[in-house]
Amino acid sequence: MMRGMIRRFLAALVFIAAPATAQETAPSPATPPATVVVAFNRETITPLIVEGLANLETARPVAANDPVRIASISKLIMALTALRLVDEGKLDLDRDVSDYVGWKVRSPYHPDAPVTLAHLLSHRAGLSDKAGYIIPLGESLEAKFADPAAWRDTGPSGEAAFEYANLGSPLVATALEAASGERYDRLVERLVFAPLGVKACLNWIGCDADMQARKVTLYRHTGEVAADGAGRLPSACTIPVAEGIACELANYVPGTNASIFSPQGGVRIGMLDLAKIGQAFGEPRAFFSDRAKQGFDRAWNTSFHPDQEFFCIYGLHLQIIDSSQALWANAEQPKPATCRDELFGDGVARVGHSGEAYGLQSGLWFDLGTGRGFAYFLTQVPPPAGGEDTGGFTAREKALMARAQAMIRK
């Protein structure tokens, strides 16, 4: 299997040094933007960089495990939830997603091609974000996918050219609800957060008063509040709601519109807890059964995307970065010159996911061979030239990782 080849290759790559004794960097007099980096291996989690203010209005310094909106790393957590449902025998990644949601999901360009969860989780279903991807409570998920603007004509689902699209996440999360009969936020808690001893939530639903008090407010590079300001916590409404609809989940029916939980980017979690999720991938730790791991195997078989500048190797909401020519040999082609997936530049290919939104950049990256990795976020980052959610690593992000690597080598 492709993933087996990748795992053996990664295991043979250069090991990074073991984390040093925990240390936290105090904010400088200039008060840098809130930034946290933690290193982890299979047994330990070590804060490396903890600096800046979690909230500019109150001047509260950020702490290592303060919860923050991690943006698209939320998709990796959704993939873990899906594989846990596969473990329970309630989900088949290759089944037509229509069978779960109860209505026909088809591209208008390829009406005879079934759309599966594996296609959606790997951004190969032919979806586009041009129609938008936030479906508020009270609006129809089915109507969103009936809009031709939600699709691209680049081939039938599964064969469609890779295009990163947030729109697939609400559909996947809704299918997970339908398969389990559970609300998406509760499902993630039961299958991922609770088993790993993680305190986290989606759109602040289920986060207690202590977590809410420790939140990291996200600011744009201009200093204006971008997300999770004082007025965006319970008891204020924290989910998207259509006009005239009460902000109330008591009557929500699982399997109808899980977009309200923002599965594409709405997880709030601290970096120490995010590192625990990274540890779940380490061997010999067995968070997944062999049956679930087969889902990864299928995804990696179609994960090489030579036409992409950033998402060069991506499948089932897992990306490989700092890929080498040797790794691309598994795809029987050289690494494209257009691929710009370098973050660490140390010869170690890492697996994980990045996040970018509301002035934040985040990452969870780990070496499958050694189990060592980093979880981090930085704030007040200027938007890239192509706009948010375009992917890519900024110079500031690369400098932060170089700084973290230097610390663990001491």
Side-chain angles (χ1 to χ4, degrees):
M1 289 293 205
M2 181 63 69
R3 184 170 181 263
M5 290 188 287
I6 291 173
R7 181 181 295 276
R8 288 191 294 273
F9 175 80
L10 294 176
L13 292 175
V14 178
F15 281 53
I16 62 175
T21 303
Q23 57 180 310
E24 296 193 4
T25 304
S28 70
T31 310
T35 303
V36 175
V37 181
V38 304
F40 62 88
N41 57 32
R42 290 171 184 147
E43 291 78 34
T44 63
I45 298 172
T46 305
L48 294 178
I49 301 168
V50 184
E51 62 187 24
L53 299 179
N55 185 280
L56 299 181
E57 288 74 23
T58 63
R60 182 178 67 83
V62 70
N65 207 36
D66 281 352
V68 66
R69 187 186 188 277
I70 56 170
S72 288
I73 302 175
S74 304
K75 296 180 177 71
L76 184 152
I77 293 171
M78 181 170 62
L80 300 190
T81 305
L83 288 177
R84 296 284 278 170
L85 273 182
V86 170
D87 279 350
E88 293 186 343
K90 297 177 181 178
L91 197 71
D92 182 346
L93 296 180
D94 295 322
R95 186 175 177 181
D96 189 338
V97 72
S98 306
D99 296 340
Y100 293 109
V101 297
W103 40 272
K104 207 74 168 177
V105 181
R106 290 291 187 273
S107 165
Y109 306 106
H110 302 278
D112 297 325
V115 178
T116 73
L117 288 168
H119 301 160
L120 293 165
L121 290 165
S122 297
H123 300 285
R124 298 296 300 276
L127 289 174
S128 169
D129 281 343
K130 289 182 179 179
Y133 55 86
I134 298 174
I135 303 94
L137 182 68
E139 293 189 3
S140 169
L141 187 71
E142 182 178 2
K144 174 64 69 176
F145 282 84
D147 184 349
W151 301 89
R152 300 171 297 119
D153 187 10
T154 61
S157 185
E159 299 175 24
F162 177 97
E163 181 171 313
Y164 193 92
N166 290 286
L167 181 58
S169 294
L171 182 56
V172 171
T174 301
L176 301 190
E177 288 187 333
S180 65
E182 300 173 70
R183 223 171 65 183
Y184 181 68
D185 61 318
R186 295 170 177 168
L187 187 64
V188 178
E189 172 66 27
R190 179 175 72 82
L191 294 180
V192 179
F193 296 157
L196 295 176
V198 164
K199 292 188 68 175
C201 62
L202 290 104
N203 283 350
W204 297 112
I205 303 165
C207 276
D208 60 22
D210 172 68
M211 286 194 69
Q212 294 173 29
R214 294 187 295 106
K215 70 174 176 63
V216 177
T217 300
L218 297 182
Y219 299 89
R220 301 198 185 278
H221 68 291
T222 56
E224 63 182 304
V225 174
D228 290 343
R232 295 303 305 272
L233 291 175
S235 59
C237 187
T238 61
I239 62 174
V241 176
E243 186 176 354
I245 300 297
C247 184
E248 175 58 61
L249 288 174
N251 296 322
Y252 173 73
V253 178
T256 56
N257 178 19
S259 175
I260 59 177
F261 302 106
S262 301
Q264 74 282 350
V267 170
R268 270 67 170 186
I269 189 172
M271 293 302 97
L272 299 181
D273 279 323
L274 184 59
K276 293 178 183 178
I277 293 176
Q279 286 179 321
F281 286 87
E283 298 293 350
R285 191 167 179 169
F287 189 57
F288 307 113
S289 69
D290 289 340
R291 180 179 181 184
K293 289 175 182 175
Q294 291 173 3
F296 280 120
D297 289 332
R298 288 195 297 273
W300 290 120
N301 281 332
T302 56
S303 65
F304 291 85
H305 309 299
D307 59 333
Q308 294 292 308
E309 291 188 3
F310 179 61
F311 297 108
C312 310
I313 306 179
Y314 189 109
L316 212 66
H317 286 334
L318 278 175
Q319 181 180 1
I320 293 180
I321 60 169
D322 285 297
S323 58
S324 67
Q325 292 289 358
L327 185 55
W328 276 84
N330 288 325
E332 298 181 351
Q333 59 182 305
K335 181 177 179 177
T338 55
C339 177
R340 298 179 178 88
D341 62 357
E342 291 79 17
L343 175 60
F344 295 92
D346 59 0
V348 178
R350 291 178 177 86
V351 180
H353 211 289
S354 64
E356 176 197 323
Y358 301 112
L360 167 137
Q361 285 188 309
S362 58
L364 175 64
W365 303 108
F366 44 88
D367 176 2
L368 283 176
T370 66
R372 295 168 179 162
F374 296 91
Y376 65 89
F377 73 85
L378 56 160
T379 60
Q380 293 180 254
V381 180
E388 291 182 344
D389 296 317
T390 55
F393 298 116
T394 64
R396 186 175 154 200
E397 198 170 5
K398 292 179 180 180
L400 181 67
M401 289 296 96
R403 181 180 164 196
Q405 287 175 291
M407 293 174 73
I408 64 173
R409 291 187 181 119
K410 288 182 180 178

